[in-house]
Every structure is written in structure tokens, then in C-alpha cells.
Amino acid sequence: PVCSLRYISTFRSFVKHEAEKNKAQWKTMGPAKVAVPSPKNFLQKHSKEPKLPARKKDQDSKKLPALSVPRRTDHPVMGIQSKKNFINTNAVAAITELPKKPQPIYVDRRQGDKYLLESSGLVPKYIKKKDYGVTPKYVTRRNEEVKRAQEKYEANILENLKKRAMKRLSDEERMSLLQGLKKNWEEVYGEFQRLPVEIDTIPKKLNKEKLETQMKQLEHDIEVIEKHKVIYIADE
């Protein structure tokens, strides 16, 4: 088979000419002629670290702060004199002054620490107050509001009694009704206790649910009657 021609770059002659022109340019005779740095320009410590700008001195730093004491160069005001005898005045004041009463204290043990007696709770100072045992104003105001609300409610009930001819249950009727409800609850509860342990049929489940519903209703009625002392019944 005929071999194809070898690839020859078009820049072959140019590259060859450049190589011959600069042949062995790194070879020299003697030491290289390179600029040597001066020994005076040696590298100093921290010379390559960034430097902060120079600090500007505050103009107000030259001003001295205001002093509360007189300066050394200040002179006292002359010509002011006093004939008061401070020694005798202080002595008379100390003699005529009433002695200070010591604060009452207590100690927790024989050689224990001292504590103020007034703030300890051992002194019955609260029962000596003028308003001790007096009903607070907010309690009195609340009782009055409750009383007015009760009176308003009773007035509305009386008005409804006239309109609907409602009847108020007496205390005896209310107690008998309450006792009857409790008796019914005991009967239903006794029947509930006589249920079998294993509820495996639908009639048994329905009976149990019925008894539970009756007990909850009776408990609700008993709670309502015990909570409300006054009960009205509308005549049908």
C-alpha cells in the first residue's frame, strides 16, 4: 500500500530560524550581570504588614476637664468673715439633741446574726392598722352588684309569672323532688351493677348504654336542682 505523506507544519521554517537566532542565550562568561540589591535596603520586621493611617489628634484634647475642686492658682474670696463659734454650736446641738432610738432586732440563736424585728413578721403590726378587719371596697361593690342583679332577675321572674302563670317550687317540693331523683339514680345504678361482666350480645350492649344514659341525665338533673335554690315551673 502507498503511504500518505508525513504532516509538515507551515511554521516549521519560522520556528527553526528563531531557534538558530537565539541559540544558547542563557550561556555567559563569568558572573551574570544582574543588578544586586543594596545592603542598606534590607527587609525589616513587619515591613510588609498593612499600616494604619496616622491618628489625628483631637483638637478638644488640649482643653482640660472642668474640675470640682479649686485650682492651685485660684485665690479665695477675701473679706468675708463670720463670728459664729462652730465649736460651741456643735456642742450645744449634740447636748440638746434627742437620743436616737435603737431599732428593735432579733437573733436566731444565742450567737447568731441580727435581723430587723419589724420586717420579720413577728410583730403584730398589721392588726393595729385602722382598716384591719374592714371589708374591702371592691368586695362591697361586688356584693352590691350581685344583689342588684338578683333583684333584677327576680323582677323579671315575677313579670314572667304574671305573663305565663309560672309557679315557684317550695322548699319541701324541691327537697322531695331531689330525693326522688336520687332514689331513681340508686335504682338505675343498682340495675347497672347487676349487669353481667361480659357484654357479648347486642341487647346487652344496648341495655348498658341505656342505663348509662339514664344515670348521666339523673346526675345532671340532681346537680341543677342542688345548684339553684329557686326553681320555677310553668303551668301547662
Side-chain angles (χ1 to χ4, degrees):
V2 181
C3 296
S4 60
L5 297 177
R6 187 177 62 178
Y7 171 78
I8 298 175
S9 175
T10 55
F11 300 97
R12 178 183 176 86
S13 59
F14 177 76
V15 173
K16 188 176 181 181
H17 175 69
E18 289 291 332
E20 290 178 354
K21 183 179 178 181
N22 300 323
K23 185 177 181 181
Q25 61 178 349
W26 54 85
K27 291 184 179 181
T28 58
M29 294 295 293
K33 296 179 181 181
V34 182
V36 181
S38 175
K40 294 181 180 180
N41 300 330
F42 58 89
L43 184 64
Q44 297 182 358
K45 189 177 182 180
H46 305 294
S47 61
K48 292 187 177 182
E49 294 180 359
K51 295 183 180 180
L52 298 175
R55 183 178 179 181
K56 296 181 180 179
K57 295 184 178 180
D58 299 333
Q59 297 180 359
D60 298 337
S61 61
K62 297 181 180 179
K63 297 181 181 179
L64 297 176
L67 300 177
S68 59
V69 296
R71 299 178 182 274
R72 186 181 61 179
T73 57
D74 295 344
H75 299 284
V77 181
M78 306 302 292
I80 299 176
Q81 297 180 359
S82 176
K83 296 181 180 180
K84 182 179 180 180
N85 191 346
F86 291 95
I87 297 177
N88 294 339
T89 304
N90 294 339
V92 172
I95 293 170
T96 58
E97 185 180 3
L98 295 176
K100 295 182 179 180
K101 295 182 179 180
Q103 291 184 346
I105 58 175
Y106 77 98
V107 293
D108 51 1
R109 53 183 184 275
R110 185 175 180 181
Q111 296 180 350
D113 298 330
K114 297 179 180 180
Y115 303 96
L116 294 177
L117 184 62
E118 185 178 359
S119 60
S120 64
L122 302 174
V123 181
K125 63 179 182 178
Y126 293 103
I127 62 175
K128 296 181 180 180
K129 297 174 69 175
K130 294 181 180 180
D131 56 349
Y132 180 77
V134 180
T135 305
K137 293 182 180 180
Y138 74 92
V139 177
T140 305
R141 184 169 61 253
R142 185 178 61 185
N143 293 339
E144 292 177 356
E145 292 176 357
V146 172
K147 186 177 180 180
R148 287 196 297 269
Q150 183 66 24
E151 291 176 355
K152 185 177 180 181
Y153 172 74
E154 291 179 357
N156 293 334
I157 292 297
L158 293 175
E159 186 177 356
N160 292 330
L161 283 173
K162 295 177 181 179
K163 293 180 179 179
R164 303 180 184 179
M166 296 180 67
K167 177 184 177 183
R168 177 179 175 179
L169 286 180
S170 61
D171 295 339
E172 293 79 8
E173 294 176 346
R174 176 175 168 274
M175 292 302 298
S176 63
L177 178 62
L178 186 61
Q179 291 178 0
L181 291 174
K182 290 183 178 180
K183 184 177 180 181
N184 293 340
W185 184 87
E186 290 178 357
E187 293 178 357
V188 176
Y189 182 67
E191 188 176 354
F192 180 80
Q193 285 184 329
R194 289 191 293 272
L195 290 174
V197 178
E198 185 177 359
I199 308 298
D200 52 353
T201 60
I202 295 178
K204 291 180 180 179
K205 292 181 181 179
L206 295 176
N207 188 20
K208 181 182 178 182
E209 292 177 358
K210 178 182 176 182
L211 294 176
E212 290 176 350
T213 304
Q214 291 179 0
M215 290 173 62
K216 289 181 180 179
Q217 184 63 35
L218 290 171
E219 290 174 359
H220 178 265
D221 297 341
I222 292 171
E223 184 180 358
V224 169
I225 294 176
E226 289 180 347
K227 183 177 180 181
H228 299 86
K229 303 298 182 182
V230 180
I231 300 175
Y232 293 92
I233 300 176
D235 294 338
E236 295 181 358

